[in-house]
């Protein structure tokens, strides 16, 4: 999907070119997994793949949207937002609801949505859809574009309208992504620091061709375990537990909760170290931290899967690969690897063959650049 394609789809349906075109990217997280809802640190980047939305303002308070991915139209009145209809439309209605709840008066639009962010793959297709929707309403309703405020509203849409208790990472990176950079986010203060990707290495997305199942209940269970660990340590969030505090007192926790907390405490430290390694341009150091992160997500946080473990193990064994780990919520979807640019074609070929041989599944592997956050394009 790109500017040309979404413009063509819009013009076909509405017999005129769109007045506004918006792009909101998916994301891949380099490191800092299951830390955002613990007020911790994450290091994601906005990827090449994105949700594209072409539109023209309407004079009334109705929104009509056609999704090229689902070949379906949805129409909703902004004065009476109700649940129901296809699940993709809940992200649009939820975003409209959150904007209105924040006091914005919205006007409607006719739009066409296209996306090449795979759904359920851990690349945040839903956050991209929410940010594209927010950007559309901002454009048609004269709302000043404040990326981090909009990310928080999109997160509210997901938490309260869609009912998924996600943290802030996905919406924020889709809003504030920076070309050529990953972004270190402090999820407590929402301070962001762009860190350049090391030269001569590529970020490669490794899609296991499995989709996460039962992720919501497992995700919410992890959140509860983290909250009870924070209560045990007497702090607001696990972000406040240092490695030495953890070592001194973790013996008082039950074994499972202690492992969950250990993941978060060590992952926060790894994420800060990873940002430092990137600033030094030290790809090997960044890669080892990614490998360590995967071990911790597998053994302590227990959110990996057989397919993800197989993919990561194969990737880590290849020449030119500095490190690999699962990315996103887990239980399926994608892993991410850091690979020397010159080695990428052979890496991709070998990993694909070996993964298919071991699992019978056909993976999709592609290098991605780091792109800018949600924005109007062209017009
Ligand atoms: C999902 C959530 C994020 C984050 C990750 C795990 O992507 O939407 O908020 O918690 O899982 O790091």
């Amino acid at each position: 999907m790109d500017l040309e394609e979404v413009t063509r789809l819009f013009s076909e349906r509405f017999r005129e070119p769109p007045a506004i075109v918006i792009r909101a990217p998916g994301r891949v997280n380099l490191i800092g997994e299951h830390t955002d809802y613990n007020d911790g640190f994450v290091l994601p980047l906005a990827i090449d793949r994105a949700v594209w939305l072409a539109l023209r303002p309407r004079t009334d308070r109705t929104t009509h949207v056609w999704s090229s991915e689902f070949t379906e139209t949805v129409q909703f009145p902004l004065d009476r937002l109700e649940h129901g209809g296809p699940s993709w439309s809940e992200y649009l209605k939820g975003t409209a609801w959150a904007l209105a709840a924040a006091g914005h008066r919205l006007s409607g639009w006719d739009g066409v949505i296209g996306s090449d962010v795979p759904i359920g793959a851990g690349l945040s297709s839903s956050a991209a859809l929410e940010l594209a929707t927010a950007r559309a309403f901002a454009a048609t309703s004269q709302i000043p574009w404040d990326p981090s405020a909009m990310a928080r509203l999109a997160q509210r849409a997901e938490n309260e309208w869609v009912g998924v208790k996600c943290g802030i990472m996905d919406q924020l990176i889709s809003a504030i992504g920076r070309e050529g950079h990953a972004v270190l986010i402090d999820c407590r203060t929402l301070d962001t620091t762009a860190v350049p990707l090391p030269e001569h290495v590529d970020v490669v997305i490794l899609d296991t061709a499995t989709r996460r199942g039962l992720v919501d209940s497992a995700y919410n269970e992890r959140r509860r375990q983290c909250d009870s660990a924070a209560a045990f340590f007497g702090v607001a969030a696990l972000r406040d537990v240092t490695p030495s505090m953890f070592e001194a007192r973790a013996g008082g926790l039950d074994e499972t909760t202690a492992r969950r907390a250990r993941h978060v405490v060590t992952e926060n430290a790894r994420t800060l170290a990873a940002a430092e390694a990137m600033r030094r341009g030290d790809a090997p150091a960044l890669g080892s931290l990614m490998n360590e992160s995967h071990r911790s997500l597998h053994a302590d946080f227990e959110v990996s899967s057989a397919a993800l473990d197989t993919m990561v193990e194969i990737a880590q064994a290849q020449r030119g690969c500095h490190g690999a780990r699962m990315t996103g919520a887990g239980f399926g979807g994608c892993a991410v690897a850091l690979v020397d640019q010159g080695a990428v074609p052979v890496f991709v070929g070998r990993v694909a063959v070996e993964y298919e041989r071991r699992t019978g599944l056909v993976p999709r592997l592609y290098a991605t650049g780091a792109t800018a956050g949600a924005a109007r394009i062209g017009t």
Side-chain angles (χ1 to χ4, degrees), residues 117-205:
V117 188
I119 291 170
L123 301 177
S124 297
S125 59
S126 53
L129 189 49
E130 289 153 6
L131 264 297
T133 306
R135 192 70 194 81
F137 280 115
T140 57
S141 315
Q142 281 76 50
I143 304 169
W145 184 249
D146 172 345
S148 66
M150 290 297 159
R152 282 197 299 270
L153 290 180
Q155 183 197 13
R156 182 162 185 221
E158 180 114 10
N159 290 168
E160 293 179 37
W161 185 276
V162 182
V164 176
K165 302 281 170 238
C166 63
I168 189 66
M169 167 168 69
D170 307 345
Q171 287 78 13
L172 193 56
I173 189 62
S174 183
I176 57 134
R178 167 120 171 248
E179 211 180 321
H181 293 69
V183 183
L184 176 68
I185 301 172
D186 178 333
C187 297
R188 171 168 282 166
T189 61
L190 299 194
D191 283 345
T192 61
T193 317
V195 261
L197 294 177
E199 277 176 32
H200 314 304
V201 294
D202 274 345
V203 172
V204 184
I205 292 173

Side-chain angles (χ1 to χ4, degrees), residues 31-32 35 39-43 184-187 239 268 271-272:
I31 194 163
T35 46
D39 277 3
F41 298 94
V42 295
L43 190 56
L184 176 68
I185 301 172
D186 178 333
C187 297
R239 145 73 172 273
N268 276 327
T271 305
L272 292 172

Side-chain angles (χ1 to χ4, degrees), residues 27 29 32-37 166-170 219 328-329:
R27 66 101 187 90
N29 190 18
E33 215 65 83
H34 289 276
T35 46
D36 63 350
Y37 53 82
C166 63
I168 189 66
M169 167 168 69
D170 307 345
Y219 187 90

Side-chain angles (χ1 to χ4, degrees), residues 279-361:
R279 287 193 194 101
R280 297 193 306 271
D282 189 345
L286 175 58
S288 339
L289 290 160
M290 291 168 71
N291 292 343
E292 194 47 48
S293 167
H294 186 79
R295 270 194 290 277
S296 177
L297 287 157
H298 165 87
D300 279 352
F301 217 65
E302 293 181 284
V303 290
S304 190
S305 67
L308 282 165
D309 288 344
T310 303
M311 182 66 96
V312 166
E313 188 186 314
I314 296 168
Q316 288 174 346
Q318 304 303 315
R319 208 179 57 79
C321 177
H322 294 289
R325 56 181 288 278
M326 55 152 278
T327 188
F331 304 101
C334 291
V336 60
L338 197 66
V339 183
D340 279 335
Q341 250 153 30
V344 169
V346 174
F347 172 87
V348 164
R350 292 208 173 136
V351 173
V353 168
E354 182 62 9
Y355 181 79
E356 185 172 352
R357 190 185 69 74
R358 282 175 58 178
T359 63
L361 297 164

